Amino acid sequence: MRLVIRSGGQSGADRAALDAAIALDIEYTGWCPHGGIAEDHPSPPGLLARYPRLVETPSTEPEQRTAWNVRDSHATLALVRGNSLEISRGTAFTVRCAELIFLRPYRVVDLDEGSSAETTRNWLLRLADNDDATQFVLNVAGPRESELPGIYERSLTFLSHLFRELM
């Protein structure tokens, strides 16, 4: 399986996915709001200066980026801590897009529950085995850093381990 990581690049879990992919030389892509904007990159070129493989959506609204990243992936992995799915509107919207709009497989991993990278790896391998594609595109989402301080570091640790297990 050739893994491709897709993310919108917002601070927090999204950004951790991109950084883990880059560190491990895994292909990455993703839609980001027009201008490359994110909460810590409010003006153009924004994220695009650091993550040139991201592609701008026509809209600056993050919902378009979120929906298109789910749509263009084989599956979505949402990383949360505790009740952060309830406090992160964007992460909740991502799960709704996967479940109700685009009918894509998704998994919500609570990093506080000691969710195993191995369990997630096995889920991904089962999905990839059932797909005839030469590459498997995994959308990674989760709360932004301002919603849940520390989510970037926790996500980076989890994803780095997961991606190494998949290689």
Side-chain angles (χ1 to χ4, degrees), residues 113-155:
E113 290 185 358
S115 297
S116 160
E118 182 179 345
T119 303
T120 303
R121 179 186 67 88
N122 291 340
W123 172 74
L124 288 169
L125 290 173
R126 277 193 308 276
L127 290 175
D129 283 347
N130 292 331
D131 197 294
D132 293 333
T134 57
Q135 64 182 17
F136 188 85
V137 181
L138 176 65
N139 179 43
V140 179
R144 52 181 74 190
E145 194 69 19
S146 65
E147 293 171 325
L148 192 63
I151 190 66
Y152 171 86
E153 286 298 329
R154 292 288 296 274
S155 297

Side-chain angles (χ1 to χ4, degrees), residues 65-145:
R65 166 216 54 209
T66 298
W68 285 14
N69 280 327
V70 171
R71 177 197 67 190
D72 295 343
S73 300
H74 291 98
T76 292
L77 178 63
L79 302 177
V80 300
R81 292 184 62 205
N83 70 342
S84 59
L85 188 58
E86 297 169 15
I87 62 171
S88 174
R89 283 189 10 225
T91 306
F93 181 65
T94 301
V95 170
R96 283 195 305 276
C97 284
E99 180 180 29
L100 301 173
I101 299 170
F102 298 110
L103 307 176
R104 299 283 194 266
Y106 70 93
R107 181 178 184 88
V108 178
V109 172
D110 184 344
L111 298 173
D112 284 346
E113 290 185 358
S115 297
S116 160
E118 182 179 345
T119 303
T120 303
R121 179 186 67 88
N122 291 340
W123 172 74
L124 288 169
L125 290 173
R126 277 193 308 276
L127 290 175
D129 283 347
N130 292 331
D131 197 294
D132 293 333
T134 57
Q135 64 182 17
F136 188 85
V137 181
L138 176 65
N139 179 43
V140 179
R144 52 181 74 190
E145 194 69 19

